[in-house]
Amino acid sequence: MSESLLGLDEPPQPRQEAYRVLARKYRPQTFSQLIGQDAMVQTLGNAIKRGRLAHAFLLTGVRGVGKTSTARLIAKGLNCVGSDGQGGPTIDPCGMCEPCRAIAEGRHIDVIEMDAASHTGIDDIREIIEASRYSAVSARYKIYIIDEVHMLSKAAFNGLLKTLEEPPAHVKFLFATTEVNKVPVTVLSRCQRFDLRRIPAETLAEHFSRVVAAEQVEAEPEALALIARAAEGSARDGLSILDQAIAHAGLEGEGVRTDAVRQMLGLSDRGAMRALFGLLLEGDARGALAALRGQYDLGVDPQAVLKTLLETVHGVTLAKLNSTPAAAQSAEELGSLHDWAGALSFPALHRLWQLLLRGHDEVAKAALPIEACEMALLRVIHASQMPDPGELARQIAAGAITAPAPVAPQPSAPDPALPASMAALAAHLEANKRYQLAQQVRDYLRPSKFDGPDVEFGAARSLPIDFLKELGAALRDTTGTNWRLRCVEGVTALTLREEQAANEEAERNAVLNSPLVRAAREAFPEAELVGWSNQRSTYG
């Protein structure tokens, strides 16, 4: 076989560089490129300038806001030596010196990154503790970056505490987490915490416009605004969506178009949603369902429809408050929002919000999402035809509507067969052989209210746990009536037992103070009144 067939005489083909996704290609390399975190950058810059560097930093925030990127930038800033090799810690690392390049490429021997999701145990932390005793090989600081630190085990956190509180002067710890509530308080108290904010949609849209310009790709501003809103404050998520949108555009040079992005994300057309919202307000059930089915046939998720309608209600409410509109809103959309704001009252907007929110939750759990969405929209339409409660009240006040007179409840005559007092209640129980309950009623209950089967009382001492349940069941069985028994505080009346004792004491004093008995006691000072304790009343 000839060498030409083997391709040996052909010039070597240049090796094609592997494609890097936008989220990695445009990862910030300086603090000036870190978008949406100005407050944190200023605090770090002041700390570095004044030499007030913490020994441990905790970076928290939602996904994709720059926690790991910030940790690497801090590592760069602390170890940068400048282009002349004489520089110190700085908030503006040069990016040219060997430490900066090595850290950016992930190969610096003194900057150790660890993923706590796959290194959760005490053995992994023990290695860090042992290695931290030794000075940095070539850098100013030995830096440990632990991502998703909340996934460390309890033993790992405990093992890290002592070193984290008093680390060697040459060691810095940088922690990143999306779930700061899972990090022990003992660790949080030893770190300087930075909460990275969600990046505003307007800032993301501006960032994406610079990215597409650098990539030499045409993109419609509204398309970038859609991607920014879909990213929900995450630069990484937004760049991933933008990467997909550029690939979706193909090789025809069409660029990133709004309708293509909307179709790719399964978003509803905002113009169509404004038309649907108008149909809901007009009470056009047939037209609203037809518009919903049209969006559904285009591949729009029913839950996304309700979400867009909720955003519309929110936008109308903000327009009614004369709030500053979002930068991504078109002039046509702003005009519609202001028209609706003038026509709808705040109570009507609040009612729309509650109805749509309820529908959104129902669709999320429904076995038939599109049918559930249709029923939710019909509920909104029918509610829109009902008069506003405030307007209804004004019409009643003006006499346009006659308010129905409330029917006064007729007091029911007490059942003569029911016990009408606490004493009668105890006697009733005793007559029906509920002796223990009768004894407890006499000994424990202080009467407060006795209105047929509606009884309130206080307690002279702690009642048995099941006393009310047992007493209610006994009375229901013996009277055929459901009793409402309530134990209340602050009742000072006497129990039947206390009342009996008080009566007996009063009678005894009356006997002792009678003239005949008093004369007998004066004649016979040592005489005593005997037999009194044996004279028991019917309560005994």
Side-chain angles (χ1 to χ4, degrees):
M1 185 179 293
S2 64
E3 293 183 355
S4 60
L5 293 179
L6 295 175
L8 298 180
D9 57 347
E10 297 178 1
Q13 297 295 324
R15 183 178 179 180
Q16 186 175 4
E17 185 178 355
Y19 174 71
R20 285 200 303 165
V21 296
L22 298 182
R24 293 188 58 194
K25 185 176 182 180
Y26 292 96
R27 171 170 275 175
Q29 299 300 318
T30 63
F31 281 103
S32 60
Q33 297 176 0
L34 187 66
I35 61 174
Q37 312 299 340
D38 297 339
M40 182 201 65
V41 172
Q42 181 179 358
T43 303
L44 279 174
N46 293 338
I48 291 176
K49 291 176 182 177
R50 298 174 182 176
R52 304 179 65 88
L53 291 172
H55 55 272
F57 298 88
L58 179 71
L59 307 171
T60 179
V62 299
R63 68 194 186 282
V65 293
K67 297 183 297 297
T68 306
S69 296
T70 300
R72 292 175 181 172
L73 290 177
I74 293 175
K76 275 187 183 181
L78 296 182
N79 285 326
C80 177
V81 296
S83 55
D84 57 356
Q86 303 298 320
T90 176
I91 194 64
D92 297 312
C94 66
M96 303 298 295
C97 63
E98 178 56 26
C100 285
R101 292 200 307 270
I103 293 172
E105 296 170 5
R107 57 179 175 82
H108 200 293
I109 192 173
D110 292 319
V111 178
I112 301 96
E113 293 192 30
M114 187 183 87
D115 177 22
S118 55
H119 299 82
T120 62
I122 182 62
D123 292 336
D124 301 299
I125 295 300
R126 189 177 290 115
E127 292 180 7
I128 292 178
I129 295 172
E130 293 295 329
S132 66
R133 300 177 182 178
Y134 303 101
S135 299
V137 175
S138 60
R140 184 179 295 111
Y141 294 104
K142 179 179 285 188
I143 295 177
Y144 292 95
I145 300 175
I146 303 181
D147 200 9
E148 300 300 337
V149 69
H150 66 273
M151 300 192 73
L152 289 178
S153 66
K154 182 178 180 180
F157 273 124
N158 290 336
L160 187 61
L161 284 180
K162 186 63 176 177
T163 303
L164 186 61
E165 184 172 18
E166 299 178 358
H170 59 273
V171 174
K172 301 290 182 184
F173 289 98
L174 303 176
F175 301 139
T177 178
T178 54
E179 300 183 48
V180 69
N181 58 302
K182 294 184 179 179
V183 179
V185 177
T186 51
V187 173
L188 292 176
S189 63
R190 291 166 168 83
C191 300
Q192 188 172 100
R193 174 174 168 175
F194 290 102
D195 290 81
L196 277 68
R197 301 171 50 196
R198 289 181 183 270
I199 305 172
E202 295 81 4
T203 305
L204 282 176
E206 294 173 2
H207 179 59
F208 297 156
S209 66
R210 292 192 293 269
V211 170
V212 294
E215 292 290 311
Q216 298 180 353
V217 174
E218 297 292 332
E220 296 180 357
E222 188 175 352
L224 297 181
L226 286 177
I227 295 173
R229 283 199 294 266
E232 297 182 345
S234 169
R236 183 176 64 235
D237 288 4
L239 288 172
S240 298
I241 298 173
L242 179 59
D243 219 338
Q244 182 181 356
I246 293 174
H248 186 76
L251 303 176
E252 304 299 328
E254 297 178 354
V256 180
R257 299 175 58 87
T258 303
D259 54 351
V261 171
R262 184 175 287 114
Q263 181 181 6
M264 182 186 74
L265 296 176
L267 299 175
S268 55
D269 180 10
R270 298 189 74 84
M273 284 299 99
R274 290 196 297 274
L276 174 57
F277 189 74
L279 292 172
L280 293 178
L281 297 181
E282 294 169 4
D284 186 352
R286 188 183 301 273
L289 294 187
L292 173 63
R293 282 288 177 172
Q295 290 295 301
Y296 183 71
D297 293 339
L298 292 174
V300 179
D301 183 66
Q303 196 172 0
V305 172
L306 290 172
K307 180 181 178 182
T308 306
L309 290 174
L310 282 167
E311 291 175 350
T312 303
V313 174
H314 181 254
V316 174
T317 306
L318 294 183
K320 196 171 183 65
L321 293 170
N322 294 321
S323 178
T324 303
Q329 289 178 331
S330 63
E332 182 182 1
E333 183 175 2
L334 289 175
S336 298
L337 294 179
H338 280 92
D339 291 341
W340 287 325
L344 294 172
S345 64
F346 281 115
L349 288 170
H350 296 328
R351 184 167 53 178
L352 277 172
W353 176 267
Q354 292 298 329
L355 290 169
L356 290 172
L357 186 62
R358 178 182 172 188
H360 183 274
D361 294 341
E362 290 176 354
V363 170
K365 298 179 289 188
L368 302 172
I370 182 61
E371 287 79 2
C373 187
E374 289 178 338
M375 297 303 294
L377 294 187
L378 289 175
R379 186 165 59 230
V380 171
I381 291 173
H382 294 153
S384 68
Q385 298 172 353
M386 297 174 61
D388 180 81
E391 181 62 26
L392 185 61
R394 285 190 291 271
Q395 292 180 15
I396 292 175
I401 301 177
T402 303
V407 179
Q410 297 296 325
S412 56
D415 189 346
L418 297 180
S421 66
M422 196 65 74
L425 181 64
H428 172 82
L429 291 170
E430 196 168 54
N432 286 276
K433 300 181 180 181
R434 309 298 173 95
Y435 301 112
Q436 183 177 4
L437 284 174
Q439 188 70 29
Q440 290 171 332
V441 167
R442 291 193 180 101
D443 292 347
Y444 300 156
L445 304 190
R446 302 183 186 274
S448 174
K449 172 186 175 183
F450 213 106
D451 184 11
D454 190 4
V455 181
E456 292 183 359
F457 48 82
R461 53 182 294 186
S462 297
L463 297 174
I465 296 177
D466 296 330
F467 174 74
L468 290 178
K469 180 179 179 182
E470 293 177 0
L471 180 59
L475 292 174
R476 183 175 60 252
D477 294 342
T478 56
T479 65
T481 302
N482 288 324
W483 288 64
R484 295 177 292 278
L485 306 173
R486 293 181 294 277
C487 185
V488 297
E489 300 289 338
V491 180
T492 59
L494 300 178
T495 66
L496 294 177
R497 180 68 64 194
E498 292 171 341
E499 185 178 352
Q500 174 192 342
N503 290 337
E504 291 178 353
E505 183 65 20
E507 292 176 8
R508 185 175 185 278
N509 291 335
V511 170
L512 291 174
N513 292 325
S514 64
L516 181 61
V517 175
R518 187 184 304 114
R521 294 181 65 189
E522 290 175 355
F524 304 96
E526 297 182 358
E528 295 181 1
L529 184 65
V530 296
W532 183 264
S533 60
N534 294 328
Q535 300 178 15
R536 314 299 293 174
S537 71
T538 56
Y539 295 147

